[in-house]
Amino acid sequence: MGNKLRYSFETYAVSGARKGDKSTGAISYPLYLSATFKHNGLNESTGYDYSRLQNPTREEAEKTIALLENGKEALAFSCGMAALTACVHLFKSGDHVILSEDLYGGTFRLFDEVYSVYNIEASFIDTSDINKVKDAIRSNTRGIIIETPSNPLMRVTDIKAISDICKAKNIISIVDNTFLTPYYQRPLELGADIVVHSGTKYLGGHNDVLAGFAISNNEEIIEKLRFMQKSTGAILSPFDSWLLLRGVKTLHIRMDRIQENAIKIAKWLECNKNVEKVYYVGLNNHKGYEVNKEQSSGFGGMISFRVKDKKYVENLLSNLKVISFAESLGGVETLITYPFTQTHSEMPEEIKRKLGIDEYLIRLSIGIENIDDLINDLKSVLE
């Protein structure tokens, strides 16, 4: 476990790890653009030498995210995939890794195409079924990577159950917490070894920064990840670190408004005659509803749904006025995405169809706009 927090999540989100700059009194933590730092003499470092190794603004972003996830340390990367790539370097040739089968297409590509040539084996299974996880474990299994809720079908995996399995068998557990953020879910408190984020999404929150994080309480893992961070150089820039810090200040406010909108939209979609199925963990008929309530304090703002007729897909993607047709998620703007040709385009078609990621599936990332405007926008193309 991380340190016991003295203040609330909201207070740390607003104040950051250092409550501004101690030397100047600046409330907004300064943007340090220097690539290198002056030494006062031989073996006399200020603690900062070269910004690939550490930068004061990036350090503040890392310490703030570590506080919010209740972890010992966080490491900030240039994007979410860079953070996950650093985690993959914890494994070696001949190791086997289990992953959620319903997960971001870029993660699938990383294991299926990039690291497979280094003989890191990957099995993609339904991790919401704990028995399937147990059955998939081999003698060389060294890691289990889950998304919960998953992307795009919102499957919920029991984090504590996975963590307990991993601890019993000396396997590293990695949880992608991008969808719910540390405001609603803190996997380290449930026993996970590592939490990863695409900070581009809700943490930044304004579709203006690329960022990634890996957070842990395990000192050995932290040292290995920091070594990979400085060695590969996929670090978060000072300016992007500053943008991330600014975005995090309103994370709790944004998430509450996003969730409020999402619940109303999910219920509206459920009642629409042209919608076949709605996937949202905040609906009490969702398969993972109870598990999510047990391990999280909220449901987030991600919704997927299936239309009954493909004609509504083009209508949705072409004629919405308030909602934008765009990749990504987690910003203040509501976005609509077509996983079949966008986020999961590089998954083999037979796997996509097996999972139900087909021409009928639509994904929504709910924003903070006026709820009536959002529903009326959907109504204009679905009725």
Side-chain angles (χ1 to χ4, degrees):
M1 295 287 289
N3 296 322
K4 184 174 176 59
L5 299 183
R6 181 179 179 185
Y7 302 113
S8 67
F9 181 98
E10 294 89 342
T11 300
Y12 280 120
V14 171
S15 65
R18 295 188 178 109
K19 286 202 69 179
D21 182 47
K22 300 299 183 186
S23 60
T24 66
I27 294 295
S28 174
Y29 196 84
L31 172 57
Y32 288 92
L33 291 174
S34 184
T36 189
F37 299 85
K38 181 180 178 181
H39 296 277
N40 295 322
L42 182 64
N43 297 323
E44 293 183 31
S45 171
T46 61
Y48 305 100
D49 303 307
Y50 185 59
S51 273
R52 175 165 53 80
L53 307 180
Q54 191 51 285
N55 173 280
T57 313
R58 188 173 91 233
E59 185 176 57
E60 174 68 4
E62 291 177 333
K63 288 183 178 298
T64 298
I65 297 302
L67 272 174
L68 299 184
E69 279 286 5
N70 200 13
K72 284 186 178 177
E73 287 194 45
L75 295 97
F77 294 86
S78 53
C79 64
M81 291 309 300
L84 188 58
T85 296
C87 293
V88 180
H89 283 279
L90 296 171
F91 310 118
K92 64 182 185 303
S93 179
D95 285 349
H96 172 244
V97 181
I98 296 169
L99 300 98
S100 302
E101 63 180 0
D102 168 34
L103 83 178
Y104 171 53
T107 304
F108 180 89
R109 178 179 62 235
L110 188 69
F111 281 88
D112 188 58
E113 298 183 34
V114 178
Y115 283 98
S116 60
V117 302
Y118 298 102
N119 196 30
I120 293 178
E121 299 177 84
S123 296
F124 298 90
I125 66 166
D126 180 2
T127 55
S128 68
D129 186 331
I130 298 302
N131 289 325
K132 288 184 178 179
V133 175
K134 291 177 179 177
D135 290 343
I137 293 174
R138 308 174 187 171
S139 60
N140 62 333
T141 301
R142 297 292 177 265
I144 298 179
I145 301 174
I146 64 173
E147 286 183 5
T148 183
S150 64
N151 182 6
L153 297 177
M154 312 303 157
R155 291 178 181 172
V156 177
T157 296
D158 188 326
I159 298 170
K160 187 178 186 306
I162 294 293
S163 300
D164 288 346
I165 291 169
C166 288
K167 282 177 169 50
K169 294 184 175 291
N170 197 29
I171 295 170
I172 296 172
S173 56
I174 302 172
V175 181
D176 187 326
N177 198 29
T178 298
F179 274 16
L180 289 188
T181 83
Y183 181 54
Y184 285 144
Q185 180 171 270
R186 286 184 286 278
L188 295 178
E189 295 178 359
L190 297 166
D193 292 310
I194 304 171
V195 175
V196 293
H197 281 275
S198 172
T200 309
K201 312 305 193 294
Y202 291 106
L203 298 183
H206 295 79
N207 289 317
D208 58 7
V209 60
L210 291 176
F213 288 91
I215 311 100
S216 183
N217 281 319
N218 184 304
E219 292 183 7
E220 182 181 356
I221 287 175
I222 290 166
E223 286 306 308
K224 289 179 179 179
L225 291 175
R226 195 167 292 286
F227 176 79
M228 293 312 305
Q229 184 193 43
K230 73 177 182 181
S231 299
T232 60
I235 48 92
L236 191 61
S237 75
F239 183 61
D240 288 339
S241 299
W242 185 85
L243 283 173
L244 192 288
L245 284 167
R246 185 174 67 168
V248 163
K249 289 178 184 293
T250 59
L251 175 62
H252 53 289
I253 297 173
R254 288 185 284 107
M255 291 305 294
D256 282 343
R257 177 57 180 270
I258 285 167
Q259 178 172 274
E260 178 186 330
N261 281 350
I263 290 170
K264 292 176 181 177
I265 289 172
K267 289 181 177 178
W268 181 86
L269 286 168
E270 270 198 316
C271 297
N272 188 281
K273 66 181 186 299
N274 296 313
V275 173
E276 181 180 284
K277 186 174 178 59
V278 180
Y279 305 89
Y280 179 59
V281 293
L283 295 173
N284 57 19
N285 60 1
H286 188 280
K287 186 178 179 182
Y289 178 79
E290 293 300 333
V291 175
N292 191 80
K293 275 191 70 176
E294 182 69 24
Q295 66 188 17
S296 310
S297 60
F299 310 113
M302 296 303 300
I303 301 171
S304 291
F305 64 97
R306 302 178 66 80
V307 292
K308 292 180 179 178
D309 192 318
K310 281 191 290 186
K311 71 180 182 183
Y312 291 108
V313 171
E314 185 174 353
N315 206 21
L316 279 159
L317 302 182
S318 302
N319 295 317
L320 289 168
K321 305 301 182 187
V322 178
I323 300 169
S324 297
F325 176 28
E327 295 197 39
S328 199
L329 59 101
V332 292
E333 304 89 356
T334 298
L335 303 180
I336 190 166
T337 302
Y338 193 39
F340 189 71
T341 62
Q342 289 184 296
T343 55
H344 293 70
S345 61
E346 295 187 48
M347 266 191 177
E349 186 154 335
E350 65 273 15
I351 295 178
K352 286 193 290 188
R353 293 196 181 280
K354 173 198 165 192
L355 295 173
I357 304 172
D358 57 20
E359 299 96 328
Y360 296 84
L361 188 71
I362 298 289
R363 193 190 74 184
L364 285 170
S365 170
I366 307 303
I368 65 171
E369 301 95 337
N370 178 275
I371 185 61
D372 292 333
D373 290 339
L374 292 173
I375 289 178
N376 286 334
D377 202 30
L378 290 167
K379 190 180 295 185
S380 70
V381 295
L382 274 175
E383 292 185 351

